[in-house]
């Protein structure tokens, strides 16, 4: 289950001149045979493996999603559907066993069947069972190659670690059954969801990591290495799995283009555009109505609007600002779909850095630190933020009141009603002052981390600072263009950034709030909540899942962990010659139904 931290939809992208390099077929979006669709996107593709920590970005997911089939996908109502790759079924409750059966027509583009070896490699990489080190990065965060005999897969998951044993594989290799060591709530979406139903091609990993030449021998070598826990082979396999599928222009090694979906990458000009063409040899069931999709890259949202006007781009989803909306509304023969995208903004507080929210600053007094956290959260002007910055883009925008569920998810309303977050519906300066007095905290200083190159985040910080200082806080501007590398380093007391989710699974919350977990940058540790997370992992009953999800949210509110602010507004802009366009609040956003896009 993926989580992307978002620096701002466009802030980190490099601006690219739209007219600098015209891709093949650019501008010709006529219908029928040879139909072309030009899409504007903010950040360039860089890896076909979006399951790695480094490759886990929306810019990569959207390309992998169109290039590969899956077992499951979400629609724009967040309903889960069966994909084209095969079937997922639970075959036993005690122990939990889940079988993946690949369709007979599931093949890689080089003719090799998609099968159990591919999914077994994905499990091995994401389970962390085979890693011999916890990390393999330089001090600056750069991933290094594993030395001989050292294994480090740059990935993680929630459910995969609960599978201890090598899977059962059918004789023809078209079926694989995982046995979980304990029940797991989100077994249906742990593998096979979204961009990669099977994972990267195991035979290509074997060819490049182990030197095999025959695809079936390569698959066997991968399975043998996993089953025997061959550290020397797994060291080479993990090295290639981690970075071997990374490229920023058309690769010399055509192995990296092997795919199992309806589109193939046929052209890629670094930083300019990437072209996906219908693969005439594709054997699956997905039938796109557009033959060629070119994604053109530009980090400037106003340039995207200009490209729509010029006919260079037919469809785009730029960062939503009032200026962008105003410019788009002036265009003729253009449809604008305001809404919400997959990212939500939030403020988190730091618990373990001897700062104003850490009990250690009050001689270990948990209650005093809690009151200071509550006081700060009472000053957050959430409704003013919505009214001033978000409603001009989406007049139906509301404050987001859940840490873990999107506003249109089935659990959202019940969770919000019971969590106690309504205590923070309105700014309460007097209440904040009272709490600070009770805690004996006079003018606590809060170092506030955010991306100070992002205009909207700078405006958010200014509103938060102004409000908090009315209650007596001293808010220090710790804004930093490199904010992402500082997450969890203890040099700040509050942070502002966004998360993008790819699933509605209840176990999504595990990596945020468990001590030492991948996305727990706050140093938060609550043993009661950890017990709830443990129970959530193994709970299958939907009603009990919902109850536990509510318990998690209530505990976070009780502990004053932080506050969600809003779902990012989205503007999906397209020329009227494009139809069947919609978007979703999960990654891959407007690409979720690419096979339904049509051009006149």
């Amino acid at each position: 289950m993926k989580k992307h931290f978002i620096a701002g939809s466009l802030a980190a992208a490099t601006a690219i001149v739209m007219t600098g390099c015209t891709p093949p077929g650019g501008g010709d979006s006529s219908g029928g045979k040879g139909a072309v669709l030009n899409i504007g996107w903010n950040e360039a593709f860089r890896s076909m493996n979006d399951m790695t920590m480094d490759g886990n970005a929306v810019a990569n997911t959207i390309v992998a999603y169109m290039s590969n089939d899956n077992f499951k996908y979400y629609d724009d109502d967040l309903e889960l559907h069966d994909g084209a790759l095969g079937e997922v079924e639970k075959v036993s409750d005690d122990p939990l066993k889940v079988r993946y059966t690949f369709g007979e027509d599931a093949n890689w583009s080089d003719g090799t069947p998609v099968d159990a070896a591919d999914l077994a490699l994905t499990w091995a990489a994401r389970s962390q069972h085979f890693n011999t080190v916890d990390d393999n990065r330089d001090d600056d965060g750069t991933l290094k190659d594993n030395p001989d005999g050292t294994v480090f897969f740059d990935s993680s998951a929630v459910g995969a670690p609960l599978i201890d044993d090598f899977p059962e594989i059918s004789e023809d290799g078209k079926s694989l059954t995982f046995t979980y060591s304990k029940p797991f709530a989100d077994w249906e979406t742990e593998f096979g969801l979204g961009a990669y139903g099977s994972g990267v091609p195991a035979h290509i990993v074997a060819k490049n990591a182990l030197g095999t030449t025959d695809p079936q021998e390569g698959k066997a070598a991968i399975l043998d290495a996993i089953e025997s826990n061959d550290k020397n082979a797994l060291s080479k396999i993990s090295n290639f799995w981690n970075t071997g599928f990374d490229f920023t222009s058309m690769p010399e090694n055509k192995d990296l283009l092997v795919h199992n979906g309806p589109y193939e990458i046929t052209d890629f000009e670094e930083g300019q555009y990437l072209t996906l063409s219908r693969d005439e040899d594709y054997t699956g069931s997905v039938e796109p109505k557009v033959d060629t999709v070119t994604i053109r890259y530009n980090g400037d949202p106003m340039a995207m609007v200009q490209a729509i006007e010029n006919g260079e781009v037919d469809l785009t989803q730029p960062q939503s600002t009032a200026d962008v909306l105003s410019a788009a509304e002036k265009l003729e023969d253009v449809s604008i779909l305001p809404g919400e995208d997959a990212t939500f903004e939030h403020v988190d507080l730091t618990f373990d850095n001897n700062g104003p929210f850490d009990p250690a600053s009050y001689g270990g007094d948990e209650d005093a630190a809690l009151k200071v956290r509550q006081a700060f959260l009472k000053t957050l002007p959430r409704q003013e933020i919505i009214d001033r910055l978000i409603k001009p883009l989406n007049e139906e925008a509301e404050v987001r009141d859940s840490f873990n569920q999107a506003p249109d998810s089935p659990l959202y309303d019940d969770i919000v009603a019971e969590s106690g977050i309504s205590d923070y519906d309105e700014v309460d300066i007097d209440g904040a002052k009272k709490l600070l007095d009770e805690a004996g905290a006079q003018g606590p200083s809060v170092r506030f981390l955010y991306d100070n190159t992002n205009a909207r985040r700078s405006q958010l910080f200014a509103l938060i600072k102004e409000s908090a200082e009315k209650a007596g806080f001293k808010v220090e501007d710790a804004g930093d263009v490199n904010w992402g590398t500082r997450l969890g380093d203890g040099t700040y007391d509050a942070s502002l950034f966004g998360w993008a989710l790819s699933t509605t699974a209840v176990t999504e919350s595990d990596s945020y709030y468990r001590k030492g977990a991948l996305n727990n940058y706050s140093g938060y540790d609550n043993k009661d909540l950890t017990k709830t997370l443990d129970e959530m992992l193994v709970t299958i009953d939907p009603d009990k899942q919902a109850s536990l999800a509510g318990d998690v949210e209530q505990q976070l509110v009780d502990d004053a962990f932080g506050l969600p602010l809003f779902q990012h507004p989205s503007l999906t802009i397209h020329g009227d010659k494009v139809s069947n366009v919609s978007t979703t609040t999960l990654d891959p956003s407007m690409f979720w139904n690419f096979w339904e896009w049509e051009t006149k």
Side-chain angles (χ1 to χ4, degrees):
M1 281 163 279
K2 283 186 293 196
K3 318 254 188 348
H4 309 307
F5 64 74
I6 307 297
S9 304
L10 304 169
T14 302
I16 297 158
V17 180
M18 296 299 292
T19 56
C21 194
T22 302
D28 178 9
S29 298
S30 57
K33 190 68 175 176
V36 174
L37 186 65
N38 290 295
I39 298 176
W41 198 250
N42 59 288
E43 186 179 3
F45 170 90
R46 59 183 180 273
S47 180
M48 278 298 284
N49 189 356
D50 77 335
M51 294 176 291
T52 70
M53 298 304 175
D54 289 339
N56 187 4
V58 178
N60 299 326
T61 296
I62 58 179
V63 174
Y65 185 71
M66 290 191 288
S67 304
N68 293 279
D69 285 340
N70 48 46
F71 283 99
K72 299 285 182 178
Y73 70 92
Y74 286 100
D75 66 14
D76 52 352
D77 291 322
L78 302 190
E79 293 184 3
L80 193 63
H81 294 265
D82 293 331
L85 194 59
E87 181 182 9
V88 183
E89 57 182 328
K90 182 171 63 172
V91 295
S92 170
D93 279 317
D94 187 18
L96 174 63
K97 291 187 177 185
V98 181
R99 178 183 299 142
Y100 294 80
T101 303
F102 292 88
E104 290 301 319
D105 58 356
N107 293 296
W108 293 105
S109 55
D110 62 2
T112 304
V114 187
D115 63 17
D118 304 304
L119 191 54
L121 175 58
T122 299
W123 160 69
R126 306 207 71 195
S127 70
Q128 299 187 320
H129 289 331
F130 300 90
N131 287 1
T132 60
V133 293
D134 293 332
D135 200 358
N136 190 25
R137 297 177 185 276
D138 290 325
D139 292 338
D140 65 358
T142 302
L143 187 67
K144 300 181 293 186
D145 277 346
N146 299 314
D148 289 345
T150 298
V151 181
F152 176 71
F153 285 100
D154 180 39
S155 190
S156 67
V158 176
L162 300 179
I163 302 167
D164 295 326
D165 298 329
F166 188 78
E168 303 171 38
I169 297 175
S170 63
E171 187 173 345
D172 65 359
K174 278 290 190 176
S175 177
L176 173 149
T177 302
F178 288 119
T179 300
Y180 286 78
S181 59
K182 57 182 69 175
F184 177 57
D186 294 312
W187 59 268
E188 192 173 15
T189 55
E190 179 62 7
F191 298 101
L193 177 67
Y196 262 120
S198 63
V200 295
H203 67 291
I204 295 300
V205 174
K207 177 181 177 182
N208 288 272
L210 305 178
T212 58
T213 55
D214 178 78
Q216 294 307 316
E217 289 179 2
K219 287 175 178 286
I222 293 289
L223 292 174
D224 288 344
I226 297 170
E227 188 170 18
S228 65
N229 199 3
D230 182 340
K231 298 300 183 187
N232 288 327
L234 288 171
S235 178
K236 298 173 183 177
I237 290 168
S238 60
N239 272 337
F240 189 81
W241 193 90
N242 289 340
T243 61
F245 291 92
D246 298 350
F247 55 94
T248 57
S249 62
M250 283 301 284
E252 293 184 9
N253 183 359
K254 300 308 178 185
D255 289 347
L256 308 188
L257 303 179
V258 171
H259 58 283
N260 62 50
Y263 283 114
E264 60 181 331
I265 299 174
T266 53
D267 199 3
F268 186 14
E269 185 72 22
E270 183 167 3
Q272 297 282 321
Y273 64 84
L274 181 147
T275 297
L276 294 152
S277 302
R278 183 196 293 268
D279 185 348
E280 298 298 337
D281 296 324
Y282 168 65
T283 56
S285 60
V286 178
E287 297 183 5
K289 297 177 173 62
V290 175
D291 283 347
T292 302
V293 176
T294 293
I295 305 173
R296 308 187 70 180
Y297 299 116
N298 194 309
D300 181 352
M302 294 300 289
M304 286 296 182
V305 176
Q306 185 67 51
I308 287 278
E309 182 177 21
N310 294 343
E312 296 174 288
V313 164
D314 306 306
L315 168 64
T316 188
Q317 200 172 60
Q319 185 180 34
S320 179
T321 69
D323 289 341
V324 171
L325 176 58
S326 177
E329 288 176 336
K330 296 175 183 176
L331 303 183
E332 296 181 357
D333 301 322
V334 167
S335 295
I336 303 171
L337 308 177
E340 296 174 330
D341 71 17
T343 305
F344 75 94
E345 200 82 354
H346 57 97
V347 170
D348 295 346
L349 307 183
T350 304
F351 286 67
D352 63 347
N353 67 340
N354 294 302
F357 307 127
D358 183 353
S361 297
Y362 309 96
D365 189 337
E366 297 274 356
D367 188 56
L370 173 62
K371 288 180 176 179
V372 177
R373 294 196 299 271
Q374 290 172 331
F376 189 78
L377 297 184
K378 280 181 175 292
T379 72
L380 293 184
R382 298 198 299 158
Q383 189 61 54
E384 182 182 8
I385 287 169
I386 296 296
D387 292 342
R388 292 179 60 173
L389 301 181
I390 310 303
K391 279 196 173 181
L393 308 169
N394 178 9
E395 61 184 16
E396 298 181 359
E398 296 180 349
V399 171
R400 172 166 166 148
D401 280 328
S402 170
F403 293 94
N404 302 305
Q405 294 294 321
D408 49 359
S409 72
L411 301 181
Y412 182 84
D413 288 340
D414 289 342
I415 281 176
V416 169
E418 300 295 331
S419 70
I421 201 168
S422 59
D423 290 347
Y424 300 102
D425 281 351
E426 298 180 1
V427 171
D428 183 3
I429 299 299
D430 290 339
K433 288 179 178 179
K434 184 174 183 292
L435 286 168
L436 289 180
D437 286 342
E438 292 174 359
Q442 300 300 317
S445 181
V446 177
R447 297 166 295 177
F448 201 97
L449 177 68
Y450 68 102
D451 179 3
N452 59 4
T453 67
N454 182 287
R456 185 163 68 207
R457 291 220 168 96
S458 295
Q459 292 173 303
L460 285 169
F461 170 73
L463 292 174
I464 291 170
K465 174 181 171 68
E466 179 183 10
S467 184
E469 291 187 341
K470 290 178 181 177
F473 286 96
K474 298 173 183 176
V475 181
E476 177 185 337
D477 187 341
D480 188 348
V481 65
N482 297 313
W483 64 275
T485 63
R486 292 177 55 188
L487 287 174
D489 71 0
T491 63
Y492 60 90
D493 308 305
S495 58
L496 171 74
F497 62 101
W499 288 115
L501 305 181
S502 61
T503 172
T504 62
V506 294
T507 54
E508 278 276 12
S509 57
D510 199 275
S511 71
Y512 292 96
Y513 314 119
R514 187 182 294 274
K515 182 181 180 181
L518 177 68
N519 298 314
N520 185 350
Y521 298 120
S522 299
Y524 176 67
D525 181 19
N526 182 300
K527 291 180 174 56
D528 290 335
L529 184 136
T530 300
K531 291 178 182 178
T532 303
L533 293 176
D534 289 340
E535 188 176 358
M536 187 181 292
L537 284 176
V538 301
T539 298
I540 304 298
D541 178 70
D543 291 337
K544 183 60 175 176
Q545 287 179 354
S547 176
L548 291 170
D551 291 344
V552 169
E553 300 258 353
Q554 184 174 355
Q555 189 67 66
L556 293 171
V557 173
D558 289 347
D559 289 341
F561 172 84
L563 281 178
L565 298 180
F566 57 84
Q567 204 74 22
H568 278 206
S570 69
L571 287 178
T572 307
I573 307 170
H574 65 87
D576 286 347
K577 59 188 172 185
V578 186
S579 58
N580 299 332
V581 175
S582 70
T583 193
T584 170
T585 53
L586 296 175
D587 176 18
S589 66
M590 68 178 184
F591 292 83
W592 77 268
N593 66 332
F594 67 85
W595 58 90
E596 294 180 336
W597 292 339
E598 286 189 85
T599 63
K600 293 180 182 177

